[in-house]
């Protein structure tokens, strides 16, 4: 049940990110100086944490989407759905460690 709720939340959140991303990227055609100033406001730790959350959400949504497809279209999917959920969470955790490291590096050391 919670995986279903989290899948919906991550899907909606990703949609809203894409909506904002399209809007701020469209600024480059309207006024490049405004675009540059908007992008400059993104270079702070709060937005870095939001980026980390975005990566976490997209990764979970993608991995869980594969699990949902297997449950729906594989004859043994319902039988193994719990094992697949734990597998999704394990893969998510393993991939998030280097992703978080890279994002934190960009936030504090890189530029």
């Amino acid at each position: 049940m919670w995986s279903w709720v989290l899948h919906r939340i991550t899907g909606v959140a990703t949609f809203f990110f894409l909506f904002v991303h399209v809007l701020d990227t469209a600024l480059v055609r309207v006024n490049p100086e405004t675009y540059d100033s908007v992008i400059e406001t993104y270079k702070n730790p709060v937005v870095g944490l939001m980026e980390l959350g975005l990566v976490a959400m997209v990764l979970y949504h993608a991995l869980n989407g594969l699990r949902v497809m297997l449950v729906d279209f594989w004859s043994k999917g319902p039988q193994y759905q719990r094992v697949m959920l734990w597998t999704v969470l394990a893969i998510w955790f393993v991939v998030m460690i280097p992703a978080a490291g890279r994002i934190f590096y960009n936030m504090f050391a890189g530029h």
Side-chain angles (χ1 to χ4, degrees), residues 39-52:
I39 296 303
E40 195 61 36
T41 63
Y42 292 164
K43 296 178 181 178
N44 66 65
V46 172
V47 175
L49 291 174
M50 291 169 63
E51 184 179 30
L52 182 61

Side-chain angles (χ1 to χ4, degrees), residues 32-90:
E33 292 81 26
T34 304
Y35 172 79
D36 289 340
S37 67
V38 167
I39 296 303
E40 195 61 36
T41 63
Y42 292 164
K43 296 178 181 178
N44 66 65
V46 172
V47 175
L49 291 174
M50 291 169 63
E51 184 179 30
L52 182 61
L54 176 66
V55 170
M57 287 188 300
V58 169
L59 183 60
Y60 172 80
H61 192 78
L63 293 171
N64 192 56
L66 293 173
R67 182 185 74 87
V68 168
M69 286 189 292
L70 285 172
V71 169
D72 287 347
F73 297 114
W74 181 34
S75 62
K76 295 186 180 185
Q79 177 183 351
Y80 292 110
Q81 66 89 19
R82 185 177 303 268
V83 172
M84 289 189 292
L85 175 61
W86 285 108
T87 303
V88 162
L89 295 176

